[in-house]
Structures are given as C-alpha cells and as structure tokens.
Amino acid sequence: MKTEVKICGLKTAEAVDRAVALGATHTGFIFFAKSPRNLEPDDAGRLADRIRGKAKIVAVTVNADNDDLDEIVAALNPDILQLHGSETPDRVLTVKAVYGLPVMKALSIRDADDLKKVEPYIGIADRFLFDAKPPAGSELPGGNGVSFDWKLLDALDGSVDYMLSGGLNVNNIGEALAQTRARAIDTSSGVESAPGVKDLKLMESFFDAVRQAEAVTARSGSKT
C-alpha cells in the first residue's frame, strides 16, 4: 500500500501484531489518563518492542510536561512524538530540542478558520495530524469517532504534510481518500468494537478498504 496508515490507541499484543501484519506504517500508543486507550509507559514499551523496526512507534500525549515525557520516552523509545493538546509552537520547539525526536502536531478542525492554526507551526512541526473537533462534553481530544468536512482541506497549501484523522472507518475511508488524496491516515475508534477495544476483523476490513481506494485512484490516474 502507498498510503501510510497509523493504527492508534493500541493496547494488546494481538492488536499490535495484527496491525503491522496488515500493513500499518505507524503504531500509536496513548498516554492520557482520561482515554480508554491509555497505557502505562512500561506496558507500551513492551508492546512496541514486538514491532520495533517494522513500523514507526508514535507516543501520543496531551499537554504532557517534561517529567511525563521523560518517563514516556525512556520506556517507549518512540520514533515520533504526537502532541495532541494545546501545545504552542514554542512548546513544540522545546520538545524537539529536549528529546531530539520529530513532532507531529495534532490540530482539531471544524471550519475554515481552524486551518489558520496551521501557519504558526509550519517549519516547526514535522508533520500535522488533522482531527475533528470533539463533540460538546467530550473530555477526549481525539478518538471520538467524528469526522470533519474534508472539503476544507482544498484550501490547504499543498506543501503541508499531514495525516488525516477523525472518524475514519471502513465505510468512509474510500470517500476520504478520494476527496483529500491524503498520503497518510490515522484511525482508532474506527477499528474498535468498544472504546479502547480493537476489533481484528474491523482492522482487516479497514485495510481492505484502503487498498480498494488506492486501486480506484490508480485506475483513474491511468485514464488521465
């Protein structure tokens, strides 16, 4: 597959192994106490060791301080830090300097004005992750199973490297890829049978749908 796929919120050896076997290029481990996908750093490290070198290991944090990041980085030895909170550009620079790791900055999107938040991070964040804004009352910045209007990304500068997230599942991933031509995607709740419980069958169906979408794109490209 040409599309980079991140399976996020992994918690079991079975799910980690299957994600990579199916073709996941990135595996996400979440460190946020309010999330049903939360893991202790040592547990995440043991899971990551199963697939180290086969897929990128991503540590997902939300406004974590240096003490928390110290523990996470020491236990997980991640390839990428994903900052999914309200971290400022200065904070991103600090994290990169302290840990010497690339940073993917997550931004929540609902309307066109939200894309203006990208600009201050350009040249600072190594990549962006565009997620949907959480519904009212949710304490989770991601993993809520909701999408945003992908047409908004038409206005985005083509040089911006991003991973598309937010409610992606087997039923909408084909449309999402056709509309955005995203080179990288992220799913968590879209391959779960319950919050935090990865469903291996749903995971397989998701990867099948990605491959089908890629085949459609390849056919349409060959006709132009």
Side-chain angles (χ1 to χ4, degrees), residues 46-57:
R46 284 189 286 271
L47 290 176
D49 284 342
R50 302 176 66 87
I51 47 87
R52 198 174 300 280
K54 300 176 183 178
K56 297 288 186 183
I57 296 163

Side-chain angles (χ1 to χ4, degrees):
M1 297 193 317
K2 295 179 181 178
T3 308
E4 295 179 63
V5 180
K6 173 167 163 274
I7 302 296
C8 202
L10 292 162
K11 292 182 67 175
T12 67
E14 187 179 34
V16 168
D17 292 348
R18 193 66 185 133
V20 173
L22 288 168
T25 56
H26 296 66
T27 54
F29 300 93
I30 293 176
F31 306 97
F32 183 56
K34 294 179 180 179
S35 172
R37 304 165 187 93
N38 182 56
L39 278 176
E40 291 300 318
D42 286 343
D43 293 334
R46 284 189 286 271
L47 290 176
D49 284 342
R50 302 176 66 87
I51 47 87
R52 198 174 300 280
K54 300 176 183 178
K56 297 288 186 183
I57 296 163
V58 185
V60 181
T61 64
V62 181
N63 299 322
D65 60 24
N66 281 22
D67 288 342
D68 289 334
L69 288 175
D70 285 348
E71 182 182 3
I72 291 165
V73 170
L76 184 64
N77 189 20
D79 298 299
I80 302 167
L81 294 174
Q82 179 179 320
L83 305 184
H84 212 111
S86 57
E87 299 89 357
T88 64
D90 283 345
R91 177 58 178 161
V92 174
L93 281 172
T94 297
V95 169
K96 291 178 65 173
V98 170
Y99 300 100
L101 291 168
V103 167
M104 178 158 57
K105 181 67 185 85
L107 296 175
S108 299
I109 308 297
R110 180 176 294 149
D111 53 43
D113 282 345
D114 291 322
L115 282 177
K116 295 177 182 177
K117 295 181 291 188
V118 171
E119 189 171 349
Y121 294 92
I122 291 177
I124 294 175
D126 297 279
R127 186 177 232 177
F128 294 93
L129 182 140
F130 295 142
D131 203 351
K133 278 191 174 178
S138 174
E139 294 185 294
L140 305 179
N144 292 290
V146 295
S147 302
F148 64 93
D149 183 359
W150 303 313
K151 291 180 182 178
L152 294 172
L153 298 178
D154 291 346
L156 192 68
D157 188 296
S159 65
V160 174
D161 183 23
Y162 72 91
M163 185 170 275
L164 181 65
S165 187
L168 298 179
N169 57 52
V170 66
N171 296 315
N172 66 13
I173 189 58
E175 181 184 356
L177 288 172
Q179 194 167 116
T180 66
R181 299 299 175 105
R183 298 185 295 272
I185 55 176
D186 166 281
T187 188
S188 182
S189 61
V191 290
E192 291 180 345
S193 57
V197 181
K198 292 292 183 281
D199 185 308
L200 303 190
K201 291 293 185 182
L202 281 177
M203 206 182 292
E204 291 170 9
S205 297
F206 184 81
F207 277 91
D208 285 343
V210 172
R211 292 187 182 95
Q212 291 170 13
E214 289 176 333
V216 170
T217 299
R219 287 196 298 270
S220 63
S222 66
K223 294 176 183 178
T224 58

